[in-house]
Amino acid sequence: MVKAGRTIAALCLGWVILLPGGVRAQSADVEQVLTQLNAAAAKFSSAQADFIWDQFTAAVQDHDLQTGTISFERKKGLTRMNAELKQDNGKPAPKSVVYDGGQVQIYTPGIKQLMVMKAGANRGQWESFLTLGFGGSGDDLKTNWKVSLQGTEKIDGVSVAKLDLVPNEQKVLDMFTHVTIWVDATRSVSYKQVFYQPSGDTRTATYTKIRYNVPLPASVFEIKLLPGSTTVER
């Protein structure tokens, strides 16, 4: 699992005063979006969406596409997620990935194997990625990333903020030079995320048919194992 940092540096008032007007305005716009996300996160309870995950390998100019549905729930500051992968490059490849209580479970029914990984001390870092636009607040972003605003766009008729995020923690920076997200700041839901790797590879997640604050039964975050399944802990 990817990990994220915990700290972000703040500009002192003297530096803000010395910045040119355009930069001051951009900073003010960023703060406005982050404030909107704080308000939206307070009202966020859940979201579901269809997704396409595109892993692009620059060296061979190859795209690996996975499709499925994803569910998020955020209660009392705790995040749960279930990604149900359905196809890999157009072929059936069912897999369930559930995050709950600081633990990731990955179940592959084709080989009847459940892999379990515990976050431990990295729980906050894991969740910083899970909340990139799905229930995450502006404060969440500021804690782990250097945030800049690259404007606003419309996706599916919705006005979204395009935010570029640079990791504060070096070990995360070694994996991703930066992340760009397109987020509806009024609902704290993400329409697109692009993770840029030092190798030139990218990971792009696109979300459609977003259902906001829909009731989710507890069973959404439970994996039903087939008879004869084995469990591997890492």
Side-chain angles (χ1 to χ4, degrees), residues 7 13 17-18 25 38 48 53 81 92 103 109 122 125 137-138 145 151 158 162 168 176-177 186 200 216:
T7 60
L13 179 60
I17 293 173
L18 291 173
N38 282 337
Q48 288 185 310
W53 291 345
M81 182 276 295
Q103 178 175 273
N122 297 317
Q125 297 173 341
S137 68
W145 313 86
V158 177
K162 182 180 179 182
N168 287 303
F176 303 110
T177 57
T186 65
L216 298 179

Side-chain angles (χ1 to χ4, degrees), residues 5 167-176:
N168 287 303
E169 194 168 285
Q170 184 59 48
K171 56 186 175 182
V172 183
L173 194 59
D174 290 340
M175 291 185 290
F176 303 110

Side-chain angles (χ1 to χ4, degrees), residues 11-28:
L11 288 170
C12 68
L13 179 60
W15 277 107
V16 173
I17 293 173
L18 291 173
L19 288 173
V23 178
R24 289 203 304 273
Q26 208 270 354
S27 177

Side-chain angles (χ1 to χ4, degrees), residues 143-210:
T143 297
N144 299 292
W145 313 86
K146 296 179 180 69
V147 186
S148 61
L149 178 64
Q150 295 187 336
T152 58
E153 299 180 9
K154 278 201 172 182
I155 299 180
D156 293 338
V158 177
S159 180
V160 296
K162 182 180 179 182
L163 300 177
D164 196 64
L165 315 174
V166 177
N168 287 303
E169 194 168 285
Q170 184 59 48
K171 56 186 175 182
V172 183
L173 194 59
D174 290 340
M175 291 185 290
F176 303 110
T177 57
H178 64 117
V179 180
T180 304
I181 66 173
W182 288 255
V183 60
D184 176 0
T186 65
R187 296 185 300 166
S188 188
V189 295
S190 183
Y191 280 77
K192 185 178 177 180
Q193 303 162 351
V194 182
F195 295 78
Y196 296 88
Q197 300 173 254
S199 62
D201 298 348
T202 60
R203 300 180 186 181
T204 301
T206 304
Y207 300 98
T208 58
K209 298 180 181 178
I210 296 173

Side-chain angles (χ1 to χ4, degrees), residues 6 52 54 61 70-71 79 112 119-120 130 151 177 193 196 206 215:
R6 295 174 178 270
I52 298 176
D54 179 358
Q61 295 290 295
I70 197 163
S71 303
T79 300
K112 295 184 178 181
L130 290 176
T177 57
Q193 303 162 351
Y196 296 88
T206 304

